[in-house]
Amino acid sequence: MNDFNDLVDAEHTRVVAPDYATAVRILQERFGSDWTVVHSRKVRRPGILGWIGLSDVVVIVRTQKSSNDILTTPIQLDAAIEEKIPVLAGDFSSEETESRTPDLEVSNPEPLVSLSSIHVSEAPAMTSTMDTEEVVGMDAEMTNPVDSLSGSEVFASADQNNDVSFEASVEQGSNTHQQPSTDSVPLSTEVNEQEGFNPPASVKEQGTVNLESFNSLSARLEGSKQRIAEELKAFNSASPFYRAPDPWQTASEATTESNSDVVGIASFSEETVAEKSVFDDPVFLGKVSTILERCGFSANACRDIKNAVSSANVPENLDEAALDNLIENRIGACVMGRIPQAGGISLANTAGKTRFVALVGPTGVGKTTTLAKLAAYFHVVEKKKVGLITLDSYRLGAIEQLRRFADIIGLNFKTVDQAEKVREEIESFSKYDIVFIDTAGRSQKDVDRLKEVRDCLSNVNDLEIHLCLSLGAAPEALMATADAFRIVGYDHVILTKRDESYSKGFLWDLFGVMQKPISYVTCGQEVPEDFDAASREEIRDMILGVE
Ligand SMILES: Nc1nc2c(ncn2[C@@H]2O[C@H](COP(=O)(O)OP(=O)(O)O)[C@@H](O)[C@H]2O)c(=O)[nH]1
Ligand SMILES: [Mg+2]
């Protein structure tokens, strides 16, 4: 058995973020690709935020190589042990700032290391409710900072009372940014004094939320969220890690498609919102939440979708079926707006040139199988002259696997085992319509190997690179892979193993990380039939579980 006490050391870091994508981004910014997820789970936000359905993800990563390198798969952690791992938090503390109390000042605002390009002023205060309710065992650590944890901590927060506002710091071996709260701080006594946040009496006195207080709180949180979103945007664009969205993303967001909804997403205009907002209709919101939870959307995605679908009027006197239909249409339109371009390879405008298509990705995601499916399709259905090349001389049997397939359907097949020979082998395919290139699987964490793949493929002109991502993989691994393979420079994404996957709400976050068109979706082991050219409608239905 693993001794989980080994985790309580400087090699491990805990990230709390509203969703996996944010957690991955924070980790990438702090550690590059040098980290391994050992545990992740969803936690309900403390206090009122939890009551209204907000949650965070907690991800524990190992950040340095260790000799007792035994924790390569997710594990169950004892809560007491988990909480001893230093937390790495990012610029996501939106709602938490709502309940920040004026007297929550840091005991030591001096940052030891500053993140480049981020203005470092003073460390942000954390919310009392967060500290005392969610973080089990944190009280003791906070009252006695001398007994603080080893390891590194990074945090950044929005100061919503100022225009500027993002502060970040990295601390080593200290927990001093935490509020030295001495006991559980009940919402009723603390947040009462917070400017701009006065919970109704029922909340303060009884700790329960009636409909009126819920509505009032929801409206305040909505206003707060928008402010935080603006600050996040300003922060992101100033960050050295900021990447401008690709044209597909802005294009798809700008041209959200209309649908047959009674009030389609296309009509979600400022005027409609001003006329009447249905945001405070608990039946409507409850139905929306039920669908979003069933599809497995992250907390972040849920917030965005809820805001979008509830920002327009709903006709009165709808019967239940009509309301359900309207909600499904709105969610569908909203999800559609997030899906990148989709479509398979087209050889329509190649003007006699050979098209080279390389499949890259981690090990075992289905690159070779998908390549065989595509080669068979273009050869048999499209009647094109198809060639096959493999650069995978690494995996035992990989060459034989593809050679046998090429023999069976009669394709020209070559193996290239040295990067410098790629160019000359490629030239021998100059009379072909399309040539598929198989590559060795590479871990998203092995930057050197990823660079090898990139260098090898840089010898090929007119090349398009398709990254294979298995829908059956853990969401955090998918995000990390989509991000890490940017080194290789992929142009399209193939989603594999749909048949092995469950809820796919995580794709909302993945689309934000990968920012590339989707070319194919594969759905089984059978060659050649188990794949489809991707379509945005089918991806939407897949995400919403409409089969
Ligand atoms: N269930 C399922 N299995 C697949 C799919 N695509 C590939 N596989 C299987 O995944 C395993 C690894 O596939 P392979 O093509 O060798 O992966 P590679 O290492 O990325 O080249 C094989 O057993 C394939 O049959 C798919 O869409 N669905
Ligand atoms: Mg392979």
Side-chain angles (χ1 to χ4, degrees):
M1 288 290 288
N2 295 331
D3 180 0
F4 295 146
N5 286 310
D6 288 351
L7 285 171
V8 189
D9 55 29
E11 295 173 1
H12 291 86
T13 299
R14 182 162 50 94
V15 181
V16 183
D19 54 64
Y20 287 114
T22 308
V24 168
R25 184 169 58 75
I26 293 164
L27 287 162
Q28 294 280 354
E29 289 175 3
R30 179 66 180 90
F31 300 113
S33 60
D34 198 14
W35 48 273
T36 309
V37 174
V38 295
H39 173 69
S40 70
R41 67 186 172 86
K42 234 177 177 178
V43 293
R44 192 171 61 83
R45 289 268 177 95
I48 286 180
L49 298 173
W51 296 345
I52 63 170
L54 298 181
S55 62
D56 285 318
V57 293
V58 177
V59 181
I60 293 177
V61 294
R62 193 176 52 252
T63 53
Q64 294 173 24
K65 296 213 178 334
S66 128
S67 54
N68 54 348
D69 195 16
I70 50 177
L71 299 165
T72 53
T73 52
I75 55 167
Q76 290 298 319
L77 282 187
D78 182 273
I81 292 173
E82 178 185 322
E83 298 305 339
K84 287 188 178 171
I85 298 171
V87 67
L88 173 84
D91 48 291
F92 49 79
S93 52
S94 53
E95 287 77 5
E96 290 152 17
T97 54
E98 277 294 297
S99 58
R100 188 192 298 177
T101 58
D103 55 342
L104 295 182
E105 294 300 329
V106 280
S107 55
N108 176 8
E110 277 298 309
L112 300 184
V113 185
S114 64
L115 291 175
S116 59
S117 294
I118 299 173
H119 170 64
V120 177
S121 53
E122 59 177 11
M126 303 291 275
T127 63
S128 56
T129 48
M130 174 96 168
D131 294 342
T132 54
E133 291 181 33
E134 176 174 330
V135 185
V136 180
M138 191 59 93
D139 287 350
E141 293 159 19
M142 289 189 292
T143 46
N144 189 5
V146 180
D147 292 338
S148 62
L149 300 164
S150 65
S152 64
E153 298 188 359
V154 178
F155 54 91
S157 168
D159 178 353
Q160 61 181 40
N161 295 326
N162 299 321
D163 291 335
V164 208
S165 58
F166 276 94
E167 307 136 6
S169 71
V170 179
E171 296 188 4
Q172 201 74 36
S174 157
N175 201 31
T176 50
H177 73 287
Q178 302 283 6
Q179 153 63 17
S181 158
T182 50
D183 52 23
S184 226
V185 184
L187 197 57
S188 57
T189 57
E190 293 289 330
V191 296
N192 186 21
E193 291 150 28
Q194 173 66 19
E195 190 189 340
F197 184 78
N198 288 306
S202 59
V203 176
K204 289 188 278 189
E205 284 159 19
Q206 299 155 21
T208 59
V209 182
N210 61 26
L211 183 58
E212 199 185 327
S213 39
F214 172 81
N215 291 342
S216 147
L217 183 58
S218 296
R220 286 166 190 276
L221 288 174
E222 171 61 11
S224 160
K225 187 201 157 273
Q226 275 164 12
R227 272 202 313 280
I228 300 291
E230 278 161 24
E231 289 178 358
L232 269 176
K233 205 168 159 193
F235 167 73
N236 280 337
S237 54
S239 161
F241 305 103
Y242 176 70
R243 275 184 293 261
D246 280 357
W248 67 263
Q249 202 183 23
T250 40
S252 72
E253 278 170 5
T255 58
T256 308
E257 293 175 15
S258 62
N259 62 36
S260 59
D261 185 0
V262 184
V263 181
I265 201 96
S267 67
F268 281 35
S269 63
E270 292 289 326
E271 295 75 24
T272 325
V273 177
E275 193 184 309
K276 183 191 171 191
S277 167
V278 294
F279 181 72
D280 58 356
D281 183 333
V283 175
F284 177 85
L285 285 180
K287 282 175 177 286
V288 171
S289 293
T290 304
I291 296 176
L292 299 183
E293 276 165 27
R294 190 191 66 216
C295 299
F297 286 99
S298 67
N300 222 17
C302 284
R303 272 199 303 274
D304 289 349
I305 298 169
K306 266 189 187 170
N307 285 337
V309 301
S310 64
S311 65
N313 195 7
V314 169
E316 285 177 9
N317 306 326
L318 284 185
D319 65 24
E320 184 149 8
L323 181 61
D324 288 347
N325 195 30
L326 178 143
I327 289 171
E328 278 164 22
N329 281 338
R330 285 191 178 183
I331 294 177
C334 191
V335 169
M336 193 74 163
R338 179 83 175 179
I339 299 172
Q341 286 170 13
I345 299 164
S346 164
L347 297 180
N349 298 316
T350 44
K353 273 188 172 175
T354 308
R355 176 80 61 84
F356 291 94
V357 175
L359 267 55
V360 301
T363 54
V365 290
K367 295 180 296 300
T368 306
T369 311
T370 306
L371 184 133
K373 290 172 184 173
L374 292 176
Y377 170 79
F378 277 96
H379 176 64
V380 177
V381 180
E382 298 263 330
K383 309 264 185 274
K384 299 293 180 190
K385 195 161 175 149
V386 177
L388 290 182
I389 297 178
T390 185
L391 307 178
D392 184 6
S393 52
Y394 188 80
R395 194 176 69 116
L396 216 58
I399 295 175
E400 264 325 292
Q401 182 188 2
L402 214 47
R403 187 191 306 283
R404 225 172 311 133
F405 167 75
D407 285 347
I408 291 168
I409 69 167
L411 302 181
N412 189 7
F413 169 74
K414 292 222 164 148
T415 306
V416 183
D417 52 9
Q418 290 167 6
E420 50 282 11
K421 290 204 176 147
V422 172
R423 201 178 290 275
E424 87 190 46
E425 293 293 353
I426 289 294
E427 278 166 15
S428 69
F429 282 96
S430 60
K431 297 273 180 322
Y432 283 68
D433 296 313
I434 184 163
V435 176
F436 290 99
I437 304 175
D438 196 14
T439 62
R442 295 300 184 211
S443 161
Q444 66 272 16
K445 292 187 217 151
D446 195 339
V447 174
D448 290 340
R449 295 274 193 194
L450 291 178
K451 284 181 181 160
E452 272 174 32
V453 176
R454 177 195 63 191
D455 294 345
C456 205
L457 293 176
S458 68
N459 291 304
V460 187
N461 296 328
D462 296 315
L463 172 74
E464 55 183 56
I465 301 178
H466 295 238
L467 171 66
C468 293
L469 294 175
S470 166
L471 289 170
E476 61 266 47
L478 280 174
M479 309 297 169
T481 304
D483 203 30
F485 270 78
R486 286 173 197 277
I487 291 178
V488 178
Y490 58 95
D491 313 292
H492 303 264
V493 170
I494 297 176
L495 299 174
T496 63
K497 305 197 181 184
R498 175 185 174 178
D499 55 309
E500 288 186 358
S501 65
Y502 297 93
S503 58
K504 286 174 268 295
F506 65 83
L507 284 173
W508 177 280
D509 302 301
L510 180 66
F511 294 154
V513 177
M514 69 186 215
Q515 303 189 353
K516 296 289 175 196
I518 301 167
S519 50
Y520 295 96
V521 179
T522 78
C523 53
Q525 294 179 286
E526 296 307 319
V527 179
E529 61 265 39
D530 285 343
F531 81 106
D532 281 307
S535 94
R536 295 178 73 224
E537 287 75 14
E538 279 175 21
I539 293 170
R540 175 199 59 202
D541 291 350
M542 180 171 89
I543 293 172
L544 297 178
V546 182
E547 299 299 331

